[in-house]
mmCIF file of all heavy atoms in Angstrom:
data_model
loop_
_atom_site.group_PDB
_atom_site.id
_atom_site.type_symbol
_atom_site.label_atom_id
_atom_site.label_comp_id
_atom_site.label_asym_id
_atom_site.label_seq_id
_atom_site.Cartn_x
_atom_site.Cartn_y
_atom_site.Cartn_z
ATOM 1 N N ARG P 22 -2.269 11.449 -20.174
ATOM 2 C CA ARG P 22 -1.907 11.541 -21.552
ATOM 3 C C ARG P 22 -1.072 10.403 -22.044
ATOM 4 O O ARG P 22 -1.578 9.267 -22.133
ATOM 5 C CB ARG P 22 -1.251 12.928 -21.817
ATOM 6 C CG ARG P 22 -2.283 14.049 -21.663
ATOM 7 C CD ARG P 22 -1.636 15.398 -22.044
ATOM 8 N NE ARG P 22 -2.705 16.426 -22.037
ATOM 9 C CZ ARG P 22 -2.490 17.729 -22.181
ATOM 10 N NH1 ARG P 22 -1.266 18.184 -22.318
ATOM 11 N NH2 ARG P 22 -3.528 18.560 -22.169
ATOM 12 N N PHE P 23 0.202 10.587 -22.293
ATOM 13 C CA PHE P 23 1.088 9.488 -22.785
ATOM 14 C C PHE P 23 2.138 9.060 -21.772
ATOM 15 O O PHE P 23 3.107 8.426 -22.151
ATOM 16 C CB PHE P 23 1.749 10.015 -24.072
ATOM 17 C CG PHE P 23 0.819 10.385 -25.173
ATOM 18 C CD1 PHE P 23 0.593 11.776 -25.412
ATOM 19 C CD2 PHE P 23 0.122 9.512 -25.945
ATOM 20 C CE1 PHE P 23 -0.278 12.222 -26.364
ATOM 21 C CE2 PHE P 23 -0.766 9.909 -26.887
ATOM 22 C CZ PHE P 23 -0.954 11.240 -27.130
ATOM 23 N N ASP P 24 1.978 9.454 -20.524
ATOM 24 C CA ASP P 24 2.924 9.184 -19.494
ATOM 25 C C ASP P 24 2.340 8.395 -18.354
ATOM 26 O O ASP P 24 1.114 8.501 -18.040
ATOM 27 C CB ASP P 24 3.555 10.483 -18.913
ATOM 28 C CG ASP P 24 4.155 11.330 -19.976
ATOM 29 O OD1 ASP P 24 4.883 10.735 -20.832
ATOM 30 O OD2 ASP P 24 4.049 12.595 -19.979
ATOM 31 N N GLY P 25 3.150 7.587 -17.731
ATOM 32 C CA GLY P 25 2.697 6.787 -16.578
ATOM 33 C C GLY P 25 3.800 6.578 -15.551
ATOM 34 O O GLY P 25 4.979 6.740 -15.863
ATOM 35 N N GLN P 26 3.385 6.359 -14.291
ATOM 36 C CA GLN P 26 4.317 6.138 -13.211
ATOM 37 C C GLN P 26 3.832 4.971 -12.378
ATOM 38 O O GLN P 26 2.620 4.756 -12.224
ATOM 39 C CB GLN P 26 4.444 7.411 -12.352
ATOM 40 C CG GLN P 26 4.895 8.626 -13.079
ATOM 41 C CD GLN P 26 4.885 9.891 -12.200
ATOM 42 O OE1 GLN P 26 4.609 9.808 -11.000
ATOM 43 N NE2 GLN P 26 5.285 10.956 -12.738
ATOM 44 N N VAL P 27 4.761 4.268 -11.792
ATOM 45 C CA VAL P 27 4.386 3.151 -10.868
ATOM 46 C C VAL P 27 5.486 3.003 -9.825
ATOM 47 O O VAL P 27 6.685 3.160 -10.132
ATOM 48 C CB VAL P 27 4.116 1.874 -11.643
ATOM 49 C CG1 VAL P 27 5.390 1.438 -12.393
ATOM 50 C CG2 VAL P 27 3.688 0.784 -10.733
ATOM 51 N N SER P 28 5.110 2.702 -8.595
ATOM 52 C CA SER P 28 6.050 2.463 -7.537
ATOM 53 C C SER P 28 5.374 1.634 -6.416
ATOM 54 O O SER P 28 4.132 1.454 -6.481
ATOM 55 C CB SER P 28 6.590 3.780 -6.947
ATOM 56 O OG SER P 28 7.639 3.558 -6.029
ATOM 57 N N THR P 29 6.114 1.212 -5.465
ATOM 58 C CA THR P 29 5.620 0.437 -4.321
ATOM 59 C C THR P 29 6.134 1.137 -3.054
ATOM 60 O O THR P 29 7.334 1.354 -2.907
ATOM 61 C CB THR P 29 6.052 -1.009 -4.356
ATOM 62 O OG1 THR P 29 5.393 -1.669 -5.440
ATOM 63 C CG2 THR P 29 5.615 -1.691 -3.057
ATOM 64 N N PHE P 30 5.258 1.442 -2.159
ATOM 65 C CA PHE P 30 5.600 2.089 -0.897
ATOM 66 C C PHE P 30 5.338 1.084 0.248
ATOM 67 O O PHE P 30 4.227 0.475 0.315
ATOM 68 C CB PHE P 30 4.775 3.349 -0.683
ATOM 69 C CG PHE P 30 4.833 4.345 -1.832
ATOM 70 C CD1 PHE P 30 3.803 4.588 -2.624
ATOM 71 C CD2 PHE P 30 6.063 4.996 -2.065
ATOM 72 C CE1 PHE P 30 3.887 5.471 -3.673
ATOM 73 C CE2 PHE P 30 6.171 5.878 -3.058
ATOM 74 C CZ PHE P 30 5.086 6.144 -3.948
ATOM 75 N N TRP P 31 6.307 0.881 1.058
ATOM 76 C CA TRP P 31 6.221 -0.137 2.157
ATOM 77 C C TRP P 31 6.891 0.371 3.400
ATOM 78 O O TRP P 31 8.093 0.310 3.518
ATOM 79 C CB TRP P 31 6.821 -1.439 1.676
ATOM 80 C CG TRP P 31 6.429 -2.639 2.543
ATOM 81 C CD1 TRP P 31 5.780 -2.556 3.742
ATOM 82 C CD2 TRP P 31 6.723 -4.002 2.308
ATOM 83 N NE1 TRP P 31 5.578 -3.868 4.262
ATOM 84 C CE2 TRP P 31 6.148 -4.732 3.386
ATOM 85 C CE3 TRP P 31 7.331 -4.678 1.269
ATOM 86 C CZ2 TRP P 31 6.279 -6.132 3.446
ATOM 87 C CZ3 TRP P 31 7.385 -6.059 1.274
ATOM 88 C CH2 TRP P 31 6.850 -6.752 2.410
ATOM 89 N N PRO P 32 6.111 0.932 4.341
ATOM 90 C CA PRO P 32 6.758 1.416 5.585
ATOM 91 C C PRO P 32 7.489 0.338 6.292
ATOM 92 O O PRO P 32 7.064 -0.811 6.389
ATOM 93 C CB PRO P 32 5.488 1.887 6.429
ATOM 94 C CG PRO P 32 4.312 1.230 5.768
ATOM 95 C CD PRO P 32 4.629 1.020 4.317
ATOM 96 N N GLY P 33 8.694 0.689 6.774
ATOM 97 C CA GLY P 33 9.546 -0.276 7.377
ATOM 98 C C GLY P 33 10.535 -0.916 6.438
ATOM 99 O O GLY P 33 11.541 -1.430 6.891
ATOM 100 N N HIS P 34 10.208 -0.926 5.187
ATOM 101 C CA HIS P 34 11.094 -1.535 4.181
ATOM 102 C C HIS P 34 11.590 -0.457 3.159
ATOM 103 O O HIS P 34 12.482 -0.768 2.361
ATOM 104 C CB HIS P 34 10.377 -2.600 3.411
ATOM 105 C CG HIS P 34 10.093 -3.820 4.266
ATOM 106 N ND1 HIS P 34 10.951 -4.798 4.508
ATOM 107 C CD2 HIS P 34 8.957 -4.158 4.969
ATOM 108 C CE1 HIS P 34 10.432 -5.724 5.275
ATOM 109 N NE2 HIS P 34 9.197 -5.339 5.557
ATOM 110 N N GLY P 35 10.994 0.743 3.151
ATOM 111 C CA GLY P 35 11.372 1.771 2.192
ATOM 112 C C GLY P 35 10.512 3.011 2.353
ATOM 113 O O GLY P 35 9.787 3.115 3.369
ATOM 114 N N PRO P 36 10.495 3.911 1.390
ATOM 115 C CA PRO P 36 9.759 5.171 1.480
ATOM 116 C C PRO P 36 8.216 4.866 1.423
ATOM 117 O O PRO P 36 7.710 3.857 1.058
ATOM 118 C CB PRO P 36 10.207 5.941 0.294
ATOM 119 C CG PRO P 36 10.641 4.873 -0.683
ATOM 120 C CD PRO P 36 11.230 3.762 0.124
ATOM 121 N N VAL P 37 7.461 5.921 1.845
ATOM 122 C CA VAL P 37 6.056 5.914 1.744
ATOM 123 C C VAL P 37 5.624 7.016 0.785
ATOM 124 O O VAL P 37 6.492 7.788 0.255
ATOM 125 C CB VAL P 37 5.369 6.113 3.163
ATOM 126 C CG1 VAL P 37 5.764 5.015 4.056
ATOM 127 C CG2 VAL P 37 5.756 7.482 3.738
ATOM 128 N N TYR P 38 4.317 7.140 0.540
ATOM 129 C CA TYR P 38 3.860 8.083 -0.525
ATOM 130 C C TYR P 38 4.310 9.482 -0.208
ATOM 131 O O TYR P 38 4.767 10.205 -1.167
ATOM 132 C CB TYR P 38 2.339 8.023 -0.563
ATOM 133 C CG TYR P 38 1.679 8.893 -1.607
ATOM 134 C CD1 TYR P 38 1.718 8.463 -2.922
ATOM 135 C CD2 TYR P 38 1.027 10.074 -1.310
ATOM 136 C CE1 TYR P 38 1.163 9.222 -3.893
ATOM 137 C CE2 TYR P 38 0.466 10.847 -2.301
ATOM 138 C CZ TYR P 38 0.511 10.428 -3.615
ATOM 139 O OH TYR P 38 -0.033 11.209 -4.560
ATOM 140 N N ARG P 39 4.336 9.957 1.038
ATOM 141 C CA ARG P 39 4.693 11.353 1.323
ATOM 142 C C ARG P 39 6.179 11.573 1.205
ATOM 143 O O ARG P 39 6.624 12.751 1.221
ATOM 144 C CB ARG P 39 4.170 11.739 2.718
ATOM 145 C CG ARG P 39 2.720 12.121 2.693
ATOM 146 C CD ARG P 39 2.283 12.845 3.954
ATOM 147 N NE ARG P 39 0.868 13.067 3.994
ATOM 148 C CZ ARG P 39 0.302 14.256 3.685
ATOM 149 N NH1 ARG P 39 1.047 15.214 3.284
ATOM 150 N NH2 ARG P 39 -0.974 14.406 3.769
ATOM 151 N N ASP P 40 6.963 10.569 1.105
ATOM 152 C CA ASP P 40 8.368 10.777 0.805
ATOM 153 C C ASP P 40 8.598 11.183 -0.642
ATOM 154 O O ASP P 40 9.543 11.920 -0.960
ATOM 155 C CB ASP P 40 9.200 9.521 1.091
ATOM 156 C CG ASP P 40 9.266 9.157 2.569
ATOM 157 O OD1 ASP P 40 9.564 10.116 3.362
ATOM 158 O OD2 ASP P 40 9.085 7.976 2.944
ATOM 159 N N LEU P 41 7.690 10.766 -1.488
ATOM 160 C CA LEU P 41 7.732 11.186 -2.905
ATOM 161 C C LEU P 41 6.982 12.459 -3.185
ATOM 162 O O LEU P 41 7.433 13.358 -3.919
ATOM 163 C CB LEU P 41 7.214 10.028 -3.803
ATOM 164 C CG LEU P 41 7.255 10.275 -5.298
ATOM 165 C CD1 LEU P 41 8.675 10.486 -5.806
ATOM 166 C CD2 LEU P 41 6.570 9.111 -6.032
ATOM 167 N N PHE P 42 5.802 12.604 -2.497
ATOM 168 C CA PHE P 42 4.969 13.811 -2.694
ATOM 169 C C PHE P 42 4.650 14.293 -1.246
ATOM 170 O O PHE P 42 3.609 13.984 -0.698
ATOM 171 C CB PHE P 42 3.672 13.437 -3.410
ATOM 172 C CG PHE P 42 3.941 12.816 -4.739
ATOM 173 C CD1 PHE P 42 3.635 11.453 -4.991
ATOM 174 C CD2 PHE P 42 4.348 13.556 -5.811
ATOM 175 C CE1 PHE P 42 3.845 10.885 -6.251
ATOM 176 C CE2 PHE P 42 4.533 13.032 -7.088
ATOM 177 C CZ PHE P 42 4.330 11.669 -7.271
ATOM 178 N N PRO P 43 5.505 15.148 -0.682
ATOM 179 C CA PRO P 43 5.392 15.570 0.707
ATOM 180 C C PRO P 43 4.017 16.275 1.003
ATOM 181 O O PRO P 43 3.403 16.076 2.058
ATOM 182 C CB PRO P 43 6.546 16.493 0.952
ATOM 183 C CG PRO P 43 7.539 16.089 -0.086
ATOM 184 C CD PRO P 43 6.785 15.668 -1.279
ATOM 185 N N GLU P 44 3.614 17.148 0.066
ATOM 186 C CA GLU P 44 2.398 17.931 0.336
ATOM 187 C C GLU P 44 1.489 17.956 -0.907
ATOM 188 O O GLU P 44 1.986 17.887 -2.043
ATOM 189 C CB GLU P 44 2.753 19.392 0.696
ATOM 190 C CG GLU P 44 3.534 19.541 1.972
ATOM 191 C CD GLU P 44 2.748 19.130 3.244
ATOM 192 O OE1 GLU P 44 1.513 19.171 3.140
ATOM 193 O OE2 GLU P 44 3.366 18.733 4.217
ATOM 194 N N PRO P 45 0.187 18.059 -0.709
ATOM 195 C CA PRO P 45 -0.707 18.172 -1.856
ATOM 196 C C PRO P 45 -0.457 19.399 -2.626
ATOM 197 O O PRO P 45 -0.076 20.429 -2.086
ATOM 198 C CB PRO P 45 -2.103 18.163 -1.203
ATOM 199 C CG PRO P 45 -1.936 17.613 0.174
ATOM 200 C CD PRO P 45 -0.518 18.005 0.581
ATOM 201 N N PRO P 46 -0.663 19.376 -3.958
ATOM 202 C CA PRO P 46 -0.524 20.605 -4.762
ATOM 203 C C PRO P 46 -1.684 21.490 -4.504
ATOM 204 O O PRO P 46 -2.702 21.137 -3.931
ATOM 205 C CB PRO P 46 -0.542 20.070 -6.154
ATOM 206 C CG PRO P 46 -1.366 18.784 -6.106
ATOM 207 C CD PRO P 46 -1.069 18.194 -4.753
ATOM 208 N N PRO P 47 -1.516 22.781 -4.919
ATOM 209 C CA PRO P 47 -2.646 23.743 -4.754
ATOM 210 C C PRO P 47 -3.910 23.250 -5.523
ATOM 211 O O PRO P 47 -3.711 22.507 -6.520
ATOM 212 C CB PRO P 47 -2.072 25.040 -5.371
ATOM 213 C CG PRO P 47 -0.643 24.862 -5.362
ATOM 214 C CD PRO P 47 -0.348 23.382 -5.477
ATOM 215 N N PRO P 48 -5.102 23.624 -5.071
ATOM 216 C CA PRO P 48 -6.315 23.221 -5.824
ATOM 217 C C PRO P 48 -6.290 23.596 -7.245
ATOM 218 O O PRO P 48 -5.967 24.728 -7.609
ATOM 219 C CB PRO P 48 -7.447 23.936 -5.013
ATOM 220 C CG PRO P 48 -6.824 24.231 -3.712
ATOM 221 C CD PRO P 48 -5.356 24.460 -3.882
ATOM 222 N N GLY P 49 -6.577 22.601 -8.109
ATOM 223 C CA GLY P 49 -6.627 22.854 -9.534
ATOM 224 C C GLY P 49 -5.326 22.968 -10.232
ATOM 225 O O GLY P 49 -5.277 23.192 -11.437
ATOM 226 N N ALA P 50 -4.199 22.716 -9.549
ATOM 227 C CA ALA P 50 -2.864 22.865 -10.142
ATOM 228 C C ALA P 50 -2.616 21.750 -11.137
ATOM 229 O O ALA P 50 -1.883 21.906 -12.085
ATOM 230 C CB ALA P 50 -1.791 22.914 -9.081
ATOM 231 N N LEU P 51 -3.174 20.564 -10.867
ATOM 232 C CA LEU P 51 -2.919 19.374 -11.760
ATOM 233 C C LEU P 51 -4.184 19.148 -12.574
ATOM 234 O O LEU P 51 -5.255 18.943 -11.985
ATOM 235 C CB LEU P 51 -2.530 18.172 -10.915
ATOM 236 C CG LEU P 51 -1.238 18.293 -10.078
ATOM 237 C CD1 LEU P 51 -1.034 16.992 -9.338
ATOM 238 C CD2 LEU P 51 -0.059 18.614 -10.965
ATOM 239 N N PRO P 52 -4.074 19.050 -13.880
ATOM 240 C CA PRO P 52 -5.216 18.703 -14.713
ATOM 241 C C PRO P 52 -5.562 17.225 -14.564
ATOM 242 O O PRO P 52 -4.701 16.398 -14.229
ATOM 243 C CB PRO P 52 -4.721 19.004 -16.151
ATOM 244 C CG PRO P 52 -3.239 18.828 -16.070
ATOM 245 C CD PRO P 52 -2.844 19.305 -14.677
ATOM 246 N N SER P 53 -6.854 16.902 -14.721
ATOM 247 C CA SER P 53 -7.281 15.502 -14.653
ATOM 248 C C SER P 53 -7.238 14.909 -16.028
ATOM 249 O O SER P 53 -7.124 15.600 -17.075
ATOM 250 C CB SER P 53 -8.726 15.479 -14.082
ATOM 251 O OG SER P 53 -9.626 16.031 -14.993
ATOM 252 N N CYS P 54 -7.442 13.579 -16.072
ATOM 253 C CA CYS P 54 -7.532 12.898 -17.366
ATOM 254 C C CYS P 54 -8.747 13.394 -18.161
ATOM 255 O O CYS P 54 -8.718 13.388 -19.402
ATOM 256 C CB CYS P 54 -7.607 11.378 -17.172
ATOM 257 S SG CYS P 54 -6.043 10.654 -16.545
#
């Protein structure tokens, strides 16, 4: 919609994707574009 997010994940230098989002959401919980 009108929101956006951006980050960089680099193992050994900082967090990775699962540090921000540890587990997938339930099926269908997030609407698509």
Side-chain angles (χ1 to χ4, degrees):
R22 290 185 172 170
F23 304 101
D24 300 319
Q26 301 176 1
V27 60
S28 187
T29 293
F30 306 110
W31 194 351
H34 293 276
V37 299
Y38 184 76
R39 280 194 185 261
D40 290 315
L41 183 60
F42 303 108
E44 296 295 334
L51 297 180
S53 68
C54 290

